[in-house]
Amino acid sequence: MVSPAPSPAVVTVSRGVRVGYGVGSICTATFSTVPGLLLLFYMTNVLAVPAWIAGIVVFLPKLWDMFINPWVGQRSDRTVSRFGARRPWLLLGAVTLPVTFALTFAGPPLTGLPAALYVAFFYFLTATAYAFYEVPYKAMPAEMTDDYHERSSLLQWKMVFVGLGILLSGAVAPVIAGTEASGYRTMGLVIGAVLLLSMLGSFFGTARAPMVARAETEPSIAAQFAAARSNTTFMVLLGLSCAQMFAAGAMLAGAPYFATYTLGDPAATTTLFLCLVGPLLITMPLWVRLSKRYDKRGAMLLASALFMVGAVGMAFAGPLGWAYAHACVFLVGVGYAGLQLLQFSMLSDVIVHDALVTGKRRAGVFTGLWTAAETVVFAFGALVLGWLLGATGFVESDPSTPVAQPESATTAALYGSTLLPAILMGLSILLTMRYTLTAAKIKEAQEAQEAGAAGVQEG
């Protein structure tokens, strides 16, 4: 009789690789935050684009993600190079995204529909360049280690840099942009440089990243969708993540309007973001401990509940004032910190469990579809807010001709950026209760795989 093969040792990711991988999250956080925070407001209040058109401009390029992201996932699964499968794509993103991002905010001497068309064209290119980077970047943790809690530890570093990225983009970008087109032009250049440094940092920082197994690819985009649909756990996770991203997208797009029309202080956009990013920087170790104690589903339920309560509280900020509003945003930030960590950690778990059950490595398949849905739904939050503003009579303007907004529009801006996200977060809680993948289930799948391998050897 042949003795069963010993269980493979846990591959520990070195601190240097953790930091190198994590620094790339400055790019993902910055790119997600700056357009989500400023692009809609930039078009309606600087380029005099009607709100409903501005919402479409923010959203339509993201529809392209439904096609380009799965394609990039498929191609990165197949890539063979001396840099590995994923890193060449990180480099491609690094040389394209900063340029297209800066051009999106270049502040052309245009207003209205011509300005909207200009922004839409370059934002389309920007979305494409971002897909080159983001899809393979998110596939990497599942290929670095097979250990359930090691992935949370790895992603803890990622979340630290996410916090730094949001701090930069949420607090600094609005200050640089100001209220004039020239300020937005400068902001685009500065943030473009930050994106470049972050992406190059992750490219070089992951040069020595371990790879526990190589991903396999599906033969077509249709096969990728079929593979995803066949994994019930992935579909549940995707659904709850989409609800959360819709909530975050609507709240983020509404932040400048909330600061301007509810608090009466446009500069409060910066301080509100400081309240949001503070928890991201200080609560990551806490969320890792909570995920170990209550498993990741329990921690996700808590994080979603905190976000929802804070969002509901924001709806009453008008009469209760500046300090109350910032306290509510801080509570949202604590919840959002947990969501950011747990979403990516749970996605890596799903990828690993799928490999154990099916015998296939399909990280690019799942991350391609994940990032496509994530970016589309995030932008859809801004689209819905833009439609709400347009339907309630919001008046577009430029800095030289400020206008008084009707009460219906300011009310829509308030509830669209607070109660609407709260409702979506409630939906995510219901979906999270259907998520059943735990550390015990992954261990069970690993033992089944090892038993199967032992049986083959005995045979």
Side-chain angles (χ1 to χ4, degrees):
M1 174 181 283
V2 179
S3 300
S7 300
V10 173
V11 176
T12 301
V13 183
S14 70
R15 175 168 294 185
V17 171
R18 294 185 193 196
V19 174
Y21 178 76
V23 75
S25 293
I26 293 179
C27 167
T28 61
T30 300
F31 181 78
S32 297
T33 300
V34 174
L37 174 65
L38 297 179
L39 189 57
L40 188 70
F41 191 80
Y42 168 59
M43 285 189 284
T44 61
N45 287 48
V46 176
L47 301 182
V49 177
W52 69 273
I53 295 179
I56 293 174
V57 169
V58 173
F59 177 71
L60 281 183
K62 296 301 184 178
L63 282 181
W64 171 236
D65 288 347
M66 294 298 296
F67 302 95
I68 187 64
N69 285 24
W71 182 84
V72 172
Q74 182 190 58
R75 300 307 302 174
S76 67
D77 279 346
R78 295 177 177 177
T79 298
V80 177
S81 77
R82 65 188 181 93
F83 297 125
R86 312 296 179 188
R87 293 175 63 243
W89 293 88
L90 303 187
L91 188 60
L92 178 60
V95 300
T96 54
L97 179 59
V99 176
T100 57
F101 182 89
L103 289 172
T104 300
F105 289 96
L110 303 170
T111 58
L113 182 59
L117 293 174
Y118 171 90
V119 172
F121 175 74
F122 282 105
Y123 195 43
F124 173 86
L125 296 181
T126 298
T128 302
Y130 182 62
F132 294 154
Y133 176 83
E134 177 69 349
V135 174
Y137 180 76
K138 281 186 175 174
M140 295 177 76
E143 298 174 336
M144 292 185 195
T145 177
D146 278 331
D147 185 68
Y148 184 79
H149 292 302
E150 176 77 2
R151 286 189 293 277
S152 289
S153 181
L154 170 63
L155 292 170
Q156 180 180 346
W157 282 93
K158 170 183 168 67
M159 290 303 108
V160 169
F161 286 102
V162 164
L164 292 174
I166 293 179
L167 175 63
L168 171 73
S169 55
V172 178
V175 173
I176 297 174
T179 60
E180 302 288 339
S182 59
Y184 278 89
R185 185 180 303 115
T186 301
M187 182 276 297
L189 292 171
V190 171
I191 297 300
V194 171
L195 296 175
L196 175 63
L197 292 175
S198 171
M199 289 186 284
L200 290 178
S202 66
F203 172 75
F204 290 108
T206 56
R208 297 184 179 181
M211 177 174 285
V212 296
R214 175 65 192 270
E216 301 174 20
T217 186
E218 296 292 339
S220 66
I221 300 298
Q224 291 187 60
F225 282 102
R229 287 196 303 270
S230 69
N231 190 312
T232 303
T233 306
F234 174 76
M235 296 305 294
V236 171
L237 180 61
L238 183 64
L240 71 89
S241 172
C242 284
Q244 292 169 355
M245 289 300 100
F246 187 109
M251 181 173 286
L252 196 62
Y257 301 96
F258 180 81
T260 301
Y261 301 114
T262 300
L263 300 184
D265 180 14
T269 302
T270 297
T271 53
L272 289 170
F273 254 85
L274 290 174
C275 289
L276 178 67
V277 74
L280 278 167
L281 294 173
I282 63 178
T283 65
M284 283 298 113
L286 172 63
W287 284 113
V288 171
R289 288 196 296 270
L290 288 172
S291 71
K292 291 179 179 179
R293 182 170 181 178
Y294 301 110
D295 212 274
K296 295 176 186 179
R297 186 180 74 162
M300 178 66 87
L301 289 170
L302 176 59
S304 301
L306 291 174
F307 188 110
M308 184 173 65
V309 171
V312 171
M314 288 174 63
F316 302 94
L320 295 176
W322 190 95
Y324 170 83
H326 284 71
C328 290
V329 172
F330 184 85
L331 185 61
V332 170
V334 174
Y336 190 57
L339 301 182
Q340 288 285 292
L341 172 67
L342 294 163
Q343 279 184 7
F344 299 131
S345 184
M346 292 161 79
L347 174 61
S348 295
D349 294 339
V350 169
I351 292 171
V352 169
H353 186 261
D354 178 78
L356 292 170
V357 172
T358 67
K360 296 181 179 181
R361 281 285 188 175
R362 303 185 290 192
V365 171
F366 290 111
T367 58
L369 295 173
W370 175 280
T371 54
E374 180 183 59
T375 55
V376 168
V377 172
F378 194 86
F380 189 66
L383 173 64
V384 170
L385 182 64
W387 280 349
L388 284 174
L389 294 177
T392 53
F394 186 89
V395 182
E396 64 273 11
S397 63
D398 60 60
S400 62
T401 56
V403 299
Q405 299 295 340
E407 183 178 355
S408 58
T410 58
T411 300
L414 172 62
Y415 293 154
S417 58
T418 57
L419 294 185
L420 178 61
I423 292 171
L424 269 295
M425 199 56 63
L427 175 60
S428 81
I429 290 175
L430 295 178
L431 291 171
T432 301
M433 294 175 68
R434 297 182 58 192
Y435 180 84
T436 59
L437 184 60
T438 63
K441 284 197 171 184
I442 293 179
K443 183 178 180 180
E444 180 182 335
Q446 289 173 330
E447 291 173 349
Q449 184 191 58
E450 291 166 7
V456 170
Q457 289 182 354
E458 291 176 357

